[in-house]
């Protein structure tokens, strides 16, 4: 099993640019989560999907952030326009809804906005 | 989900048991206790979970007090690779499976 795959692993961009982070969940998993981690705020849940449908996006910081899950094997998190305060590590995780509750995390995408 | 309280940091000698405490005094009857850890620069990793009985797997043991207000994660023979931040989380299984992470305990295993 390849695990949760995220890309890119590292992204450096300039303020105002659009950033797209990608995630491929584990095959067969029907829940997908996007988290953000910073030194100041720790790990924060941004949004999660069940069966490709967004269930709770209350953690999305503002309208500059958007997430989609067009099918069961792919999700994107987009920031437009990006700002320096968006610099963080973004993690994607997947799980089986109603299962043991174990989340499997990807290796993360480290974003730096200059 | 119930709030948890963990020490900010702990040290442990290599080869000794690491005992990481967690208080969850407001836990509800249908909430499980989960433990995850995050090794530097990696994504969080599931360790173990339990409801009220003690649990053991290849990574660790979980001891939950009878009143369920606290628990202890035990790494029986800590190695340098166990140096990580350990998160204790309580949540209802099946309720979306989302996890709310607190500050965790930073465990330093020393030679």
């Amino acid at each position: 099993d390849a695990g949760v795959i995220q890309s890119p692993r590292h992204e450096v961009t300039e303020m105002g640019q659009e950033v797209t982070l990608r995630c491929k969940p584990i095959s067969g998993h029907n829940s997908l989560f996007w988290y953000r981690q910073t030194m100041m705020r720790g790990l924060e849940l941004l949004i999660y999907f069940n069966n490709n449908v967004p269930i709770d996006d209350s953690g999305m910081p503002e309208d500059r952030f958007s997430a989609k899950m067009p099918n069961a094997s792919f999700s994107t998190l987009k920031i437009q326009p990006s700002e320096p305060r968006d610099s963080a590590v973004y993690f994607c995780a997947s799980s089986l809804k109603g299962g043991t509750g174990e989340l499997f995390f990807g290796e993360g995408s480290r974003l730096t906005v200059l | 989900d119930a709030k948890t309280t963990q020490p900010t940091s702990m040290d442990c000698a290599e080869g000794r048991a690491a005992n990481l405490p967690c208080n969850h005094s407001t836990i509800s009857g249908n909430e499980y206790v989960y433990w995850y850890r995050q090794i530097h620069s990696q994504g969080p990793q599931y360790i173990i979970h339990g409801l009220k009985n003690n649990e053991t797997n290849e990574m660790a043991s979980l001891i939950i007090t009878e009143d369920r207000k606290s628990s202890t994660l035990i790494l029986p023979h800590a190695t340098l690779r166990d140096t990580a931040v350990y998160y204790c989380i309580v949540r209802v299984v099946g309720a979306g499976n989302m996890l709310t992470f607190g500050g965790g305990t930073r465990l330093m295993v020393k030679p």
Side-chain angles (χ1 to χ4, degrees), chain B:
Chain B
D1 293 339
K3 179 179 172 60
T4 62
T5 304
Q6 299 178 252
T8 303
S9 63
M10 293 180 61
D11 289 346
C12 177
E14 187 179 21
R16 304 297 295 269
N19 297 286
L20 292 95
C22 179
N23 286 321
H24 31 79
S25 58
T26 61
I27 192 169
S28 300
N30 62 348
E31 287 184 310
Y32 285 68
V33 180
Y34 281 79
W35 284 84
Y36 280 72
R37 75 179 181 182
Q38 187 175 23
I39 296 170
H40 181 62
S41 297
Q42 298 182 16
Q45 175 191 25
Y46 167 84
I47 301 173
I48 198 168
H49 76 284
L51 182 62
K52 54 183 177 181
N53 297 320
N54 298 338
E55 302 287 344
T56 296
N57 62 20
E58 65 278 5
M59 290 182 67
S61 294
L62 173 60
I63 308 298
I64 303 174
T65 58
E66 191 168 345
D67 63 7
R68 303 210 322 123
K69 293 184 184 298
S70 66
S71 60
T72 301
L73 179 75
I74 301 172
L75 308 178
H77 305 287
T79 71
L80 299 179
R81 288 191 299 270
D82 292 321
T83 293
V85 178
Y86 288 78
Y87 298 97
C88 170
I89 302 164
V90 294
R91 55 174 294 275
V92 177
V93 171
N97 284 355
M98 64 182 196
L99 296 175
T100 301
F101 288 84
T105 296
R106 184 173 298 276
L107 176 68
M108 179 74 72
V109 181
K110 298 184 175 181

Side-chain angles (χ1 to χ4, degrees), chain A residues 82-104:
Chain A
S82 58
E83 297 182 2
R85 59 190 168 127
D86 301 330
S87 298
V89 181
Y90 292 81
F91 289 103
C92 176
S94 70
S95 75
L96 271 174
K97 180 178 182 297
T100 63
E102 179 180 352
L103 267 63
F104 295 81

